[in-house]
């Protein structure tokens, strides 16, 4: 009898375990693993990383919890673009100038072939404005941008979109682009010590400086050097525009000019065409729905809140020969803003 009771007990335990295994195997987490969307951005101290990290919850909610969004930083925006096109991300941080350089095989994209797939127009989020500043005590030496030609300047970290933007402006002006790469956190020391004579600064939507520039202006007085009238004329003739920035909004103290003149660029988070159409469409709808809330928490989103659709149209028109993601195409067609001259990428 003891032996029979023991066998019965084992049988009951085994049956109970088998039942528990069935319950576990049919539970929802095991049935459907959350899919991954990886956002490749510039380094963690950049505005691009900050924005991507701030919208992950909006995306996950818009996609019904089916996806988990992670933000992966890279040394530069160019590196983030390449990582996405090489399959290490689904969405890459970029700007209109970066898309142009890839499309024309220029700069870092010379002879580059995307092994996984190219970036297409997906979501344009905010503009930035690029300009040049110097250590205030040395400002008398610099009246125009030509005074920086051939001299050591930190044009923002190499490979960043503002670096590409000012290099593009120099090409139009015919100036010698002599870049000196430094740690952005050492910018104030480099300007004061003379190892660089100037540095590129930039604002987001004319409202805020990048964090390392905020540190620089706390440590020293700076003067902004605007392009001279003949340079403005030449830049415009070369297809570039100038954006006015209120220095009282951007800086905490006077910077020697009543108005800053910067060359604007439009930043984006663009995906490969193989990211499903419904994913991108739902993301865009969610961003549009939350545009006012985004702007209330970050002034950089003000242009997005003012005219969400126009920002997308402007981004596409900066490189109209590049394909538009199927999700963005659907979004714009529903809002009567699709241009038949554009090309929609095949949906996934």
């Amino acid at each position: 009898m003891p032996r029979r009771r023991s066998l019965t007990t084992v049988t009951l335990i085994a049956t109970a375990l088998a039942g528990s295994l069935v319950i576990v195997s049919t539970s929802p987490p095991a049935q459907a693993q959350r899919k991954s969307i990886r956002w490749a951005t510039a380094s963690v101290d950049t505005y691009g990383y900050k924005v991507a990290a701030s919208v992950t919850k909006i995306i996950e909610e818009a996609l019904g919890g089916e996806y988990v969004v992670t933000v992966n930083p890279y040394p530069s925006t160019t590196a983030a673009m390449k990582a996405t096109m090489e399959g290490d991300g689904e969405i890459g941080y970029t700007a209109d100038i970066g898309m142009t350089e890839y499309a024309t095989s220029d700069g870092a994209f010379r002879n580059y072939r995307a092994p996984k797939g190219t970036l297409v127009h997906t979501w344009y989020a905010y503009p930035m404005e690029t300009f040049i500043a110097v250590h205030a005590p040395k400002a008398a030496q610099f009246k125009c941008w030509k005074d920086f030609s051939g001299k050591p300047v930190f044009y923002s970290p190499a490979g960043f979109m503002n670096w590409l933007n000012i290099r593009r402006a120099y090409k139009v002006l015919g100036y010698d682009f002599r870049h000196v790469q430094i740690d952005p956190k050492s910018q104030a020391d480099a300007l004061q010590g003379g190892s660089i004579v100037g540095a590129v600064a930039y604002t987001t939507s004319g409202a805020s400086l990048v964090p390392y520039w905020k540190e620089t202006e706390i440590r020293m007085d700076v003067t902004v050097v605007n392009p001279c009238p003949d340079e403005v004329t030449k830049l415009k003739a070369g297809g570039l525009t100038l954006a006015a920035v209120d220095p009282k909004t951007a800086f905490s103290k006077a910077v020697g000019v009543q108005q800053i003149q910067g060359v604007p660029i439009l930043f984006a988070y663009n995906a490969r065409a193989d990211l499903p159409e419904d994913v991108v469409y739902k993301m865009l709808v969610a961003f549009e729905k939350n545009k006012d809330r985004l702007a209330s928490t970050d002034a950089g989103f003000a242009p997005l809140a003012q005219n969400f659709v126009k920002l997308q149209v402007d981004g596409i028109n900066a490189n109209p020969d590049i394909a538009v993601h199927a999700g963005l195409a659907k979004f714009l067609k529903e809002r009567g803003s699709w241009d038949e001259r554009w090309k929609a990428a095949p949906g996934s």
Side-chain angles (χ1 to χ4, degrees), residues 95-97 127-133 145 153-157 160-170 173 177 199-206 208-210 212-213 224-227 235 240-245 251 260-267:
D96 51 13
I97 176 60
M128 282 189 178
E129 303 80 26
T130 312
F131 51 96
I132 306 175
W145 281 10
V153 177
F154 175 52
Y155 289 106
S156 81
F160 277 48
M161 295 294 105
N162 285 280
W163 183 84
L164 294 177
N165 193 32
I166 196 70
R167 191 179 69 170
R168 171 175 60 176
Y170 267 42
L173 295 170
F177 185 82
V200 155
Y202 48 95
T203 48
T204 302
S205 303
S208 58
L209 285 170
V210 67
Y212 76 84
W213 255 103
V224 170
V225 180
N226 282 327
L235 288 169
L240 301 181
T241 60
L242 275 296
V245 175
F251 290 86
I260 298 170
Q261 290 184 297
V263 178
I265 47 177
L266 191 53
F267 275 78

Side-chain angles (χ1 to χ4, degrees), residues 238-324:
L240 301 181
T241 60
L242 275 296
V245 175
D246 184 352
K248 294 179 181 178
T249 301
F251 290 86
S252 62
K253 49 191 174 183
V255 291
V257 295
Q258 295 300 311
Q259 187 181 78
I260 298 170
Q261 290 184 297
V263 178
I265 47 177
L266 191 53
F267 275 78
Y269 296 86
N270 286 341
R272 297 189 311 273
D274 60 356
L275 188 63
E277 175 183 333
D278 68 313
V279 168
V280 169
Y281 175 77
K282 288 176 181 177
M283 283 171 45
L284 290 167
V285 170
F287 290 148
E288 184 184 44
K289 180 181 178 181
N290 288 278
K291 63 182 183 179
D292 292 326
R293 181 164 68 88
L294 289 170
S296 69
T297 57
D298 192 320
F301 283 119
L304 189 78
Q306 289 167 5
N307 199 327
F308 188 98
V309 171
K310 181 179 183 299
L311 210 63
Q312 311 315 309
V313 171
D314 289 347
I316 297 170
N317 281 334
N319 290 286
D321 293 332
I322 294 176
V324 181

Side-chain angles (χ1 to χ4, degrees), residues 173-192:
L173 295 170
Y175 295 163
D176 182 7
F177 185 82
R178 184 183 170 192
H179 173 73
V180 175
Q181 184 72 8
I182 61 172
D183 181 343
K185 295 179 181 178
S186 69
Q187 180 173 261
D189 292 333
L191 285 167
Q192 290 172 319

Side-chain angles (χ1 to χ4, degrees), residues 121-122 277 280-281 284 316 324-339 342-345:
H121 298 298
T122 305
E277 175 183 333
V280 169
Y281 175 77
L284 290 167
I316 297 170
V324 181
H325 194 284
L328 176 56
K330 178 181 178 181
F331 179 88
L332 292 175
K333 287 175 182 177
E334 287 185 351
R335 286 149 183 80
S337 297
W338 177 256
D339 190 326
W342 299 336
K343 178 180 66 176

Side-chain angles (χ1 to χ4, degrees), residues 138-151:
K138 302 174 183 178
Q141 303 172 34
F142 304 94
K143 301 298 184 183
C144 306
W145 281 10
K146 65 183 178 184
D147 298 322
F148 297 102
S149 181
K151 295 179 181 176

